[in-house]
Amino acid sequence: MPKKHEKNKFSITVCGEFFPEIYPAHRSSKWSRGEEDPLTTEMRLFCACMRWAFNRLLEGASRHEIKKSGQELFGLNSRYADDARLKAQALLDSQTELLKLENEETEEKLGRARKKLSLAMRKLAKAEEKGAASEVIEKLRLAVKGRNKRVVSLAKRLAELKDYREKGTIPEVVFGGRRLWEKVCQGRAAREKWRHARRNRLYSRGDESKGGNPNIKIFYDGQDFRLAVSLSHLSEQTGIDKLGRPRMSQAPRVEGKLWLPEKHRELVQIWLAMKLPYAVELIRTLEGRYLVHLTFEVVRVQEPDFAKGCLAIDTNPDGVALCNVSASGQPEPWPEGFSVPYPGNLGKYEGEFQVIPYPNGFLYIRIPDLAHASSFRRSYLIGVLAKVVVDIAFFSGKPIVLENLNFGKDRLDTNKKFNRMASNFPFAKMVGAMYRRATKEGVPFKLVSPRHTSTIGYWKYMKRYAVSVHCAAALVIGRRAMGFRERVTEELRQLVSQIKQNLTRKVNPDRPEEGKGMTRRVRACLRRLEERLSGEQEAYNSVWPDLKLLALSVR
C-alpha cells in the first residue's frame, strides 16, 4: 500500500553530499571522546539523545521534560533536543502502527492457513477411505503436517502481538538495526559497525519563522552551495529562560561545500531565495562521507479537472499501460505530432525501453529490467519511467489517473508464484515517483480503487478495441476516476450465454473434470450469473467477481 500523503502537502527529498572544510579551533573536554572531530561528537550526542528520548516517551514523559533534561544530559541546544524527541516520537508512532497492521495481517493469514489445513485433512481422509496408494497418502500426510506447523506458528505469533496490544507496549526496538545486531551476535559483522550505525545521524527540522533552518543552514554564494552545521555542545550557558531551560551562547559551526545534483540545483536556489523552511538530515557513512538529505514540503497541485479527459495508467511488474481517455469516457487518438519521449540516458542494450502502440490512443511502455533488476537499478528505471509518463501527460494537457493497488504482507501466503511477483512488484515506488514528478511539473494526479478493473476491461473493452487486457484496464481506471459507472451490456449477456453453451457441449455435465470445460465451480458461477443478469438491476457490482472467475476458467 502506498504511503498516504497529507491533503495539501507533499514532501520532496533531494540527496547531496557535504564536504566539511572549516572546523572550530577547540574541542570540548566534557563531551568529546578520543580524537573524534566536533561534528562526529555532535552526531553521537544527538543519536544518544534520540535513544534516551524514545525510552522516556515509553515512560510517558512530556515534551517539556524531555527538552529540558535532554539539554542538560547531552549538551544539545533546545532545538536539537526537540528534534531528537521528534525523531523518537516518529519511531514510536510507526512501531505502534506496524503492530496494529501486523496483527491484522496475521489474523488473515491464520484464517487462510486453517482453511488450507482443513482442506488437506479432508483430502487425506478421503484418500485413506478409498484405499489410495501409499505414496499418495504419504504425500497428503506431509502436506497436513506442514500446514499444521504453519497454523501453530501463526497462532503463536498472533498471541504475542495481541499480548503487546493488550499491555499497550511495542516489540523491543534495536537501534542500529536488528539484522545488523543479529549478524554481530553470530560473528558475521564487527561490533564497531553496529555502534557506528547507532550514532551516525544528525537531524534538524525547518522553521518558517527562522527563514529556513536555524541549526543546519544552506546558502548559495553565487557559484556553489555551502552548508553550515551548528555544534551546540560547544556553546556555553549564559542564563536560564522563563521556562527554566538553560540559555546558551551562539554555537560555533562546521562549514563546507555542499554538492547537489544538477537537476535539483534550481529548485534549491528558489527555495532558499524565498526563505522557506527545509529539513536536513546528515548521515555519516563508514568511509567517513557525509550524505545530506534535504526535505521540502510543497503545496500539492490542484485537484484534477477532467474537462479534457485524463491519461489513465495501469501498472504492471514490467511496465505501464496508458490510455488517452476523452471527456466522454471513451479512448481517443493521440494528438497530432505526439511521440513518446525516448529517454536519452538509457541504451544498455536494444529493447531495454519498448513502446508498443495500439490504435485509438492506447500504448504499452515495457521495461523488462523492472521485473528482476537490482534495487538501485530498479529505482533508477522507475524514475525514468515516471518522467516519460508525466511528460506525456504534460504534452496532452490532461491529469494522471492511477490505481491504488495493495500488495501488503497479508496477501502473501503459500502461493510461491504470487509471492515472488508481489514482492518484486515495485508499485509503491512507481506511485511515489510519478507523484513527485507530477507535483514538480504541476500535473494533477489522482488515485482510484483498482477493484475489478482488469475483469471489466477483459469482458467489455479488450476485444472491442483490439488491445491487451492491461490497456483495457487502463481505460476502466480512467472512466472510474471521471465518475462513469460500468454496467453489464446486452452484448456481455449474450457472450456469457454463448460460453455456457460451448462448455456444455465440450464435456459431459454428469462427469465434470477439473480444468476442462464445465466444472462444478464454473457451473455454479454460471448459475449465479444467470440469476443476476436476468433481472433489471441498476448496479452490477456483485456480478464482476463471478465474471472474473469465469474469465480465469475460460482463458
PDB file of all heavy atoms in Angstrom, residues 326-344:
ATOM      1  N   SER A 326     -10.947  10.426 -23.374  1.00  0.00           N
ATOM      2  CA  SER A 326     -11.580  11.709 -23.688  1.00  0.00           C
ATOM      3  C   SER A 326     -12.547  12.111 -22.589  1.00  0.00           C
ATOM      4  O   SER A 326     -12.790  11.365 -21.628  1.00  0.00           O
ATOM      5  CB  SER A 326     -12.312  11.607 -25.021  1.00  0.00           C
ATOM      6  OG  SER A 326     -13.396  10.690 -24.912  1.00  0.00           O
ATOM      7  N   ALA A 327     -13.133  13.299 -22.738  1.00  0.00           N
ATOM      8  CA  ALA A 327     -14.085  13.799 -21.744  1.00  0.00           C
ATOM      9  C   ALA A 327     -15.356  12.948 -21.694  1.00  0.00           C
ATOM     10  O   ALA A 327     -16.047  12.936 -20.678  1.00  0.00           O
ATOM     11  CB  ALA A 327     -14.441  15.252 -22.037  1.00  0.00           C
ATOM     12  N   SER A 328     -15.657  12.233 -22.780  1.00  0.00           N
ATOM     13  CA  SER A 328     -16.852  11.388 -22.807  1.00  0.00           C
ATOM     14  C   SER A 328     -16.609  10.011 -22.217  1.00  0.00           C
ATOM     15  O   SER A 328     -17.516   9.176 -22.211  1.00  0.00           O
ATOM     16  CB  SER A 328     -17.343  11.250 -24.253  1.00  0.00           C
ATOM     17  OG  SER A 328     -16.342  10.626 -25.056  1.00  0.00           O
ATOM     18  N   GLY A 329     -15.377   9.735 -21.751  1.00  0.00           N
ATOM     19  CA  GLY A 329     -15.074   8.445 -21.163  1.00  0.00           C
ATOM     20  C   GLY A 329     -14.664   7.388 -22.167  1.00  0.00           C
ATOM     21  O   GLY A 329     -14.574   6.211 -21.808  1.00  0.00           O
ATOM     22  N   GLN A 330     -14.411   7.778 -23.410  1.00  0.00           N
ATOM     23  CA  GLN A 330     -14.003   6.844 -24.454  1.00  0.00           C
ATOM     24  C   GLN A 330     -12.567   7.148 -24.882  1.00  0.00           C
ATOM     25  O   GLN A 330     -12.107   8.288 -24.776  1.00  0.00           O
ATOM     26  CB  GLN A 330     -14.938   6.952 -25.670  1.00  0.00           C
ATOM     27  CG  GLN A 330     -16.390   6.634 -25.367  1.00  0.00           C
ATOM     28  CD  GLN A 330     -16.578   5.225 -24.845  1.00  0.00           C
ATOM     29  OE1 GLN A 330     -15.929   4.285 -25.305  1.00  0.00           O
ATOM     30  NE2 GLN A 330     -17.488   5.064 -23.890  1.00  0.00           N
ATOM     31  N   PRO A 331     -11.828   6.137 -25.348  1.00  0.00           N
ATOM     32  CA  PRO A 331     -10.459   6.403 -25.796  1.00  0.00           C
ATOM     33  C   PRO A 331     -10.451   7.261 -27.049  1.00  0.00           C
ATOM     34  O   PRO A 331     -11.319   7.123 -27.915  1.00  0.00           O
ATOM     35  CB  PRO A 331      -9.900   5.002 -26.060  1.00  0.00           C
ATOM     36  CG  PRO A 331     -11.099   4.152 -26.326  1.00  0.00           C
ATOM     37  CD  PRO A 331     -12.203   4.721 -25.482  1.00  0.00           C
ATOM     38  N   GLU A 332      -9.479   8.153 -27.134  1.00  0.00           N
ATOM     39  CA  GLU A 332      -9.346   8.995 -28.304  1.00  0.00           C
ATOM     40  C   GLU A 332      -7.908   8.936 -28.815  1.00  0.00           C
ATOM     41  O   GLU A 332      -6.974   8.731 -28.030  1.00  0.00           O
ATOM     42  CB  GLU A 332      -9.726  10.438 -27.985  1.00  0.00           C
ATOM     43  CG  GLU A 332      -8.846  11.127 -26.964  1.00  0.00           C
ATOM     44  CD  GLU A 332      -9.255  12.576 -26.746  1.00  0.00           C
ATOM     45  OE1 GLU A 332     -10.151  13.043 -27.481  1.00  0.00           O
ATOM     46  OE2 GLU A 332      -8.669  13.233 -25.867  1.00  0.00           O
ATOM     47  N   PRO A 333      -7.691   9.088 -30.104  1.00  0.00           N
ATOM     48  CA  PRO A 333      -6.329   9.017 -30.645  1.00  0.00           C
ATOM     49  C   PRO A 333      -5.431  10.092 -30.042  1.00  0.00           C
ATOM     50  O   PRO A 333      -5.898  11.132 -29.572  1.00  0.00           O
ATOM     51  CB  PRO A 333      -6.544   9.230 -32.150  1.00  0.00           C
ATOM     52  CG  PRO A 333      -7.980   8.887 -32.392  1.00  0.00           C
ATOM     53  CD  PRO A 333      -8.713   9.271 -31.144  1.00  0.00           C
ATOM     54  N   TRP A 334      -4.139   9.820 -30.068  1.00  0.00           N
ATOM     55  CA  TRP A 334      -3.184  10.793 -29.557  1.00  0.00           C
ATOM     56  C   TRP A 334      -3.184  12.031 -30.450  1.00  0.00           C
ATOM     57  O   TRP A 334      -3.429  11.939 -31.656  1.00  0.00           O
ATOM     58  CB  TRP A 334      -1.785  10.180 -29.524  1.00  0.00           C
ATOM     59  CG  TRP A 334      -1.681   8.994 -28.632  1.00  0.00           C
ATOM     60  CD1 TRP A 334      -1.622   7.688 -29.010  1.00  0.00           C
ATOM     61  CD2 TRP A 334      -1.624   8.994 -27.207  1.00  0.00           C
ATOM     62  NE1 TRP A 334      -1.541   6.865 -27.917  1.00  0.00           N
ATOM     63  CE2 TRP A 334      -1.534   7.645 -26.791  1.00  0.00           C
ATOM     64  CE3 TRP A 334      -1.636   9.992 -26.241  1.00  0.00           C
ATOM     65  CZ2 TRP A 334      -1.467   7.275 -25.458  1.00  0.00           C
ATOM     66  CZ3 TRP A 334      -1.564   9.625 -24.910  1.00  0.00           C
ATOM     67  CH2 TRP A 334      -1.483   8.298 -24.519  1.00  0.00           C
ATOM     68  N   PRO A 335      -2.900  13.192 -29.881  1.00  0.00           N
ATOM     69  CA  PRO A 335      -2.899  14.410 -30.696  1.00  0.00           C
ATOM     70  C   PRO A 335      -1.844  14.366 -31.790  1.00  0.00           C
ATOM     71  O   PRO A 335      -0.865  13.620 -31.718  1.00  0.00           O
ATOM     72  CB  PRO A 335      -2.618  15.520 -29.668  1.00  0.00           C
ATOM     73  CG  PRO A 335      -2.009  14.828 -28.503  1.00  0.00           C
ATOM     74  CD  PRO A 335      -2.594  13.464 -28.470  1.00  0.00           C
ATOM     75  N   GLU A 336      -2.035  15.184 -32.793  1.00  0.00           N
ATOM     76  CA  GLU A 336      -1.118  15.219 -33.926  1.00  0.00           C
ATOM     77  C   GLU A 336       0.275  15.672 -33.477  1.00  0.00           C
ATOM     78  O   GLU A 336       0.411  16.629 -32.709  1.00  0.00           O
ATOM     79  CB  GLU A 336      -1.662  16.157 -35.001  1.00  0.00           C
ATOM     80  CG  GLU A 336      -0.855  16.152 -36.280  1.00  0.00           C
ATOM     81  CD  GLU A 336      -1.481  17.036 -37.332  1.00  0.00           C
ATOM     82  OE1 GLU A 336      -2.612  17.520 -37.091  1.00  0.00           O
ATOM     83  OE2 GLU A 336      -0.860  17.235 -38.385  1.00  0.00           O
ATOM     84  N   GLY A 337       1.267  14.990 -33.937  1.00  0.00           N
ATOM     85  CA  GLY A 337       2.645  15.311 -33.562  1.00  0.00           C
ATOM     86  C   GLY A 337       3.110  14.637 -32.290  1.00  0.00           C
ATOM     87  O   GLY A 337       4.228  14.900 -31.830  1.00  0.00           O
ATOM     88  N   PHE A 338       2.276  13.756 -31.730  1.00  0.00           N
ATOM     89  CA  PHE A 338       2.642  13.100 -30.479  1.00  0.00           C
ATOM     90  C   PHE A 338       3.645  11.982 -30.735  1.00  0.00           C
ATOM     91  O   PHE A 338       3.529  11.229 -31.705  1.00  0.00           O
ATOM     92  CB  PHE A 338       1.401  12.524 -29.801  1.00  0.00           C
ATOM     93  CG  PHE A 338       1.717  11.579 -28.679  1.00  0.00           C
ATOM     94  CD1 PHE A 338       2.073  12.068 -27.438  1.00  0.00           C
ATOM     95  CD2 PHE A 338       1.667  10.203 -28.867  1.00  0.00           C
ATOM     96  CE1 PHE A 338       2.366  11.196 -26.393  1.00  0.00           C
ATOM     97  CE2 PHE A 338       1.952   9.326 -27.835  1.00  0.00           C
ATOM     98  CZ  PHE A 338       2.302   9.838 -26.591  1.00  0.00           C
ATOM     99  N   SER A 339       4.628  11.896 -29.849  1.00  0.00           N
ATOM    100  CA  SER A 339       5.571  10.782 -29.863  1.00  0.00           C
ATOM    101  C   SER A 339       6.066  10.573 -28.446  1.00  0.00           C
ATOM    102  O   SER A 339       6.235  11.545 -27.694  1.00  0.00           O
ATOM    103  CB  SER A 339       6.744  11.053 -30.811  1.00  0.00           C
ATOM    104  OG  SER A 339       7.488  12.174 -30.361  1.00  0.00           O
ATOM    105  N   VAL A 340       6.290   9.341 -28.080  1.00  0.00           N
ATOM    106  CA  VAL A 340       6.764   9.034 -26.734  1.00  0.00           C
ATOM    107  C   VAL A 340       8.201   9.515 -26.587  1.00  0.00           C
ATOM    108  O   VAL A 340       9.066   9.135 -27.394  1.00  0.00           O
ATOM    109  CB  VAL A 340       6.671   7.521 -26.451  1.00  0.00           C
ATOM    110  CG1 VAL A 340       7.238   7.200 -25.078  1.00  0.00           C
ATOM    111  CG2 VAL A 340       5.235   7.055 -26.561  1.00  0.00           C
ATOM    112  N   PRO A 341       8.483  10.358 -25.605  1.00  0.00           N
ATOM    113  CA  PRO A 341       9.860  10.872 -25.438  1.00  0.00           C
ATOM    114  C   PRO A 341      10.800   9.768 -24.967  1.00  0.00           C
ATOM    115  O   PRO A 341      10.774   9.362 -23.811  1.00  0.00           O
ATOM    116  CB  PRO A 341       9.705  11.971 -24.390  1.00  0.00           C
ATOM    117  CG  PRO A 341       8.472  11.602 -23.616  1.00  0.00           C
ATOM    118  CD  PRO A 341       7.572  10.910 -24.597  1.00  0.00           C
ATOM    119  N   TYR A 342      11.612   9.271 -25.882  1.00  0.00           N
ATOM    120  CA  TYR A 342      12.541   8.191 -25.526  1.00  0.00           C
ATOM    121  C   TYR A 342      13.636   8.746 -24.629  1.00  0.00           C
ATOM    122  O   TYR A 342      14.281   9.745 -24.958  1.00  0.00           O
ATOM    123  CB  TYR A 342      13.156   7.586 -26.773  1.00  0.00           C
ATOM    124  CG  TYR A 342      13.954   6.325 -26.499  1.00  0.00           C
ATOM    125  CD1 TYR A 342      13.352   5.079 -26.576  1.00  0.00           C
ATOM    126  CD2 TYR A 342      15.295   6.395 -26.154  1.00  0.00           C
ATOM    127  CE1 TYR A 342      14.062   3.918 -26.337  1.00  0.00           C
ATOM    128  CE2 TYR A 342      16.022   5.239 -25.899  1.00  0.00           C
ATOM    129  CZ  TYR A 342      15.399   4.010 -25.990  1.00  0.00           C
ATOM    130  OH  TYR A 342      16.105   2.869 -25.732  1.00  0.00           O
ATOM    131  N   PRO A 343      13.870   8.135 -23.459  1.00  0.00           N
ATOM    132  CA  PRO A 343      14.905   8.656 -22.544  1.00  0.00           C
ATOM    133  C   PRO A 343      16.291   8.501 -23.155  1.00  0.00           C
ATOM    134  O   PRO A 343      16.671   7.429 -23.620  1.00  0.00           O
ATOM    135  CB  PRO A 343      14.736   7.793 -21.286  1.00  0.00           C
ATOM    136  CG  PRO A 343      14.059   6.547 -21.763  1.00  0.00           C
ATOM    137  CD  PRO A 343      13.189   6.953 -22.910  1.00  0.00           C
ATOM    138  N   GLY A 344      17.051   9.567 -23.129  1.00  0.00           N
ATOM    139  CA  GLY A 344      18.370   9.537 -23.737  1.00  0.00           C
ATOM    140  C   GLY A 344      19.449   8.976 -22.859  1.00  0.00           C
ATOM    141  O   GLY A 344      20.589   8.809 -23.292  1.00  0.00           O
TER     142      GLY A 344
END
